[in-house]
Amino acid sequence: MAKHTDRLLLANAMMGQFISGVATRIFIVSLPTIAAALDADILAVSWALIAYQLAGISLSVVFGRLGDIHGRYAIYGTGFVVMTVSSVLCGMAPGVGWLIAFRLVQGVGAAMIASATRVLAMEAMPEGAEGRANGFMTMSYHGGLLLGPPLGGLVIDLLSWRWIFFLLVPIGAAGTVLTVLRARGRRPSASERPPAVDYVGAALLVVLTVMLTLVVDRRSAVALGAGSSGVMLAVFVIGLGGFLVHERRTVNPVVNLALFRIRMFAFSVLSLLVFATTSSVLTFLLPFYLQDVLHRSPSFMGLLFLSAPILTISLAVLAGHLTDRVGPRIPATIGLAMIMAAFAIGVSLKVDSHWLLPALLLACTGVGQGFFNTPNQTAIIGSVPRAYRGFATGLVQMMFGLGSLIGISLGGALLTQMFRYYSGIPDATPSPEAPDAFVSAMSATYAVCFGLMVVALAASLMRGGRRIEAAE
């Protein structure tokens, strides 16, 4: 831990978070343009998005643990190199198949970067400033998410879709240079490293994560020709049992199960998973309500949806200061309470509600994310032994990715069942063309999510005392 703020290292970590946020969102707005340019359908092009997500979800924990063992700078710097080279290759892709392959590689680079950013930021700040460090990380990532779509649209209009990838090259190159400069003389000696890496456990974890992703994301499973959800779930459960047995027996596991005995760590991870799941349900359904029920234009919706990330960015550092002063429990719980308020507004929405109500819902979401993300992630990473902080950072990324996929799957399933109930048609597909049934189904789905948020709130309150202390 630095005695004074290491500005170079902090800037480097912020750059990693920023490029991760931009790369996540900038590609989405280009999907129709790329499909037309490469003479492919939208389903084929969407696999370039899926491949990126799969790599990030399945590899972040593995790279985080490898960083703990071999040194974070090596993993982090290599991630920038991979991101830079793969961005060039994506921009030069001659066909959709090549684009999918290169996006998979880009996702590997993004996972390497994401597995180290938060822990490097914490190492750049003085002791007791871990909350502020994570506040800068939340601000940088959501800044990338905010700028990605409009930046991508502008680049496509002025140049071509290929430049949305070329645009990432100078950012990646700058991150590589900063990492090299900062890493000089930082390589740990051989005596400081554990004797071996649990490569079997790492491989099993990747396979299990991909399988779980396919279980909850049926779109990906169908595209791969995978079996039924029940069969895949059964295989996943059996594989998970084998993985847990292996991790208990190995000397240096990739997932140290003893970490989950740490109260603050375990309850913070649970809060994050429920938060990520329910938040994705909220943002997944609301655009259909705004556009197809309230008949608001896409540009109007875009302006409304800006409120959440702007509020999150504005409040992230403040939440970090509060975390350093009073601990993570109070600010994180405030954030969860605001998300619950957003769902309460969602439950009250009607077919003829004023647009100010969904606008208030989005504002509550932004405030909730701003107050929750920083203290909760600080608690997850700061409560584990320092030798496992890379693992904890990777776990944060994994929980966000899995929560998003689970939330979309859960939201779709709940909406379908509720719509069939309210419409009285057993095999009906949710559609805003039946606005009364659709809005009732959406409100009922939000009510279920409100109940799930009670679990996250309880976990947040049970996470432990005021101070975040690394376990022995």
Side-chain angles (χ1 to χ4, degrees):
M1 190 71 68
K3 293 183 179 180
H4 304 285
T5 300
D6 188 333
R7 298 183 185 277
L8 181 62
L9 180 57
L10 181 61
N12 193 11
M14 292 177 68
M15 186 173 295
Q17 283 288 82
F18 180 75
I19 195 175
S20 296
V22 170
T24 299
R25 286 288 179 88
I26 196 172
F27 180 73
I28 295 176
V29 298
S30 65
L31 287 175
T33 304
I34 293 176
L38 297 181
D39 194 24
D41 58 44
I42 194 68
L43 181 61
V45 175
S46 68
W47 257 103
L49 180 63
I50 295 170
Y52 182 91
Q53 291 174 328
L54 278 175
I57 294 171
S58 62
L59 293 172
S60 56
V61 168
V62 173
F63 284 132
R65 189 66 191 122
L66 287 174
D68 289 332
I69 295 170
H70 291 296
R72 305 187 217 290
Y73 291 98
I75 299 296
Y76 193 60
T78 304
F80 272 117
V81 172
V82 172
M83 175 71 81
T84 303
V85 173
S86 61
S87 295
V88 173
L89 295 175
C90 285
M92 299 172 61
V96 69
W98 286 106
L99 180 62
I100 293 171
F102 296 146
R103 276 285 285 179
L104 178 64
V105 177
Q106 191 179 50
V108 173
M112 299 175 83
I113 293 172
S115 70
T117 49
R118 289 184 179 271
V119 63
L120 288 178
M122 291 169 69
E123 291 177 355
M125 299 287 284
E127 191 79 35
E130 294 87 352
R132 279 174 287 167
N134 276 281
F136 287 126
M137 294 299 96
T138 300
M139 181 180 67
S140 301
Y141 182 72
H142 282 270
L145 293 180
L146 177 65
L147 291 178
L151 189 60
L154 182 64
V155 168
I156 291 172
D157 288 340
L158 295 180
L159 298 169
S160 77
W161 68 267
R162 297 184 183 276
W163 279 92
I164 67 170
F165 297 110
F166 295 149
L167 187 68
L168 300 176
V169 173
I171 304 176
T176 304
V177 172
L178 284 175
T179 305
V180 171
L181 291 175
R182 197 64 195 81
R184 290 179 178 177
R186 286 274 183 154
R187 187 177 180 84
S189 65
S191 62
E192 294 175 336
R193 299 182 191 171
V197 177
D198 179 21
Y199 290 112
V200 173
L204 286 173
L205 180 61
V206 171
V207 172
L208 286 172
T209 308
V210 172
M211 288 184 62
L212 180 58
T213 302
L214 296 178
V215 168
V216 300
D217 186 4
R218 293 306 299 163
R219 176 189 59 175
S220 303
V222 171
L224 282 177
S228 67
S229 297
V231 174
M232 290 184 63
L233 182 59
V235 174
F236 169 78
V237 171
I238 295 172
L240 178 61
F243 172 75
L244 294 177
V245 170
H246 171 79
E247 293 301 276
R248 284 183 179 277
R249 293 179 176 178
T250 192
V251 176
N252 184 38
V254 67
V255 177
N256 189 339
L257 300 177
L259 296 177
F260 290 91
R261 298 174 187 167
I262 302 171
R263 181 177 176 180
M264 183 171 288
F265 175 78
F267 282 114
S268 297
V269 170
L270 176 60
S271 291
L272 175 59
L273 180 60
V274 178
F275 168 83
T277 300
T278 55
S279 295
S280 64
V281 174
L282 192 149
T283 55
F284 172 57
L285 297 182
L286 194 62
F288 296 99
Y289 172 75
L290 283 168
Q291 184 167 332
D292 297 327
V293 177
L294 297 188
H295 305 293
R296 296 294 169 179
S297 67
S299 58
F300 184 85
M301 286 170 50
L303 290 175
L304 283 186
F305 272 83
L306 283 176
S307 61
I310 289 175
L311 286 169
T312 299
I313 294 168
S314 302
L315 294 170
V317 177
L318 172 61
H321 278 283
L322 285 174
T323 302
D324 292 333
R325 291 179 63 87
V326 301
R329 180 163 51 186
I330 293 176
T333 303
I334 291 173
L336 292 173
M338 292 302 298
I339 297 293
M340 293 178 72
F343 279 116
I345 295 170
V347 171
S348 69
L349 292 176
K350 307 296 181 184
V351 174
D352 56 352
S353 293
H354 196 280
W355 63 265
L356 284 174
L357 275 179
L360 181 61
L361 183 156
L362 288 169
C364 289
T365 302
V367 173
Q369 290 176 336
F371 273 102
F372 174 79
N373 284 331
T374 295
N376 194 75
Q377 275 61 290
T378 305
I380 291 174
I381 302 168
S383 61
V384 301
R386 295 183 186 277
Y388 283 91
R389 283 189 170 181
F391 160 79
T393 302
L395 188 65
V396 167
Q397 300 303 123
M398 181 180 176
M399 289 296 103
F400 264 121
L402 281 178
S404 177
L405 292 178
I406 293 171
I408 292 173
S409 178
L410 177 66
L414 287 174
L415 184 71
T416 299
Q417 294 303 316
M418 299 296 182
F419 184 83
R420 290 172 178 175
Y421 172 79
Y422 286 108
S423 66
I425 305 174
D427 58 349
T429 300
S431 172
E433 293 180 2
D436 290 318
F438 181 85
V439 173
S440 296
M442 184 186 72
S443 297
T445 300
Y446 282 165
V448 172
C449 290
F450 183 92
L452 291 174
M453 285 300 298
V454 174
V455 176
L457 188 69
S460 180
L461 291 171
M462 294 170 64
R463 75 177 74 225
R466 292 179 56 182
R467 291 186 56 83
I468 301 174
E469 296 181 353
E472 294 296 332

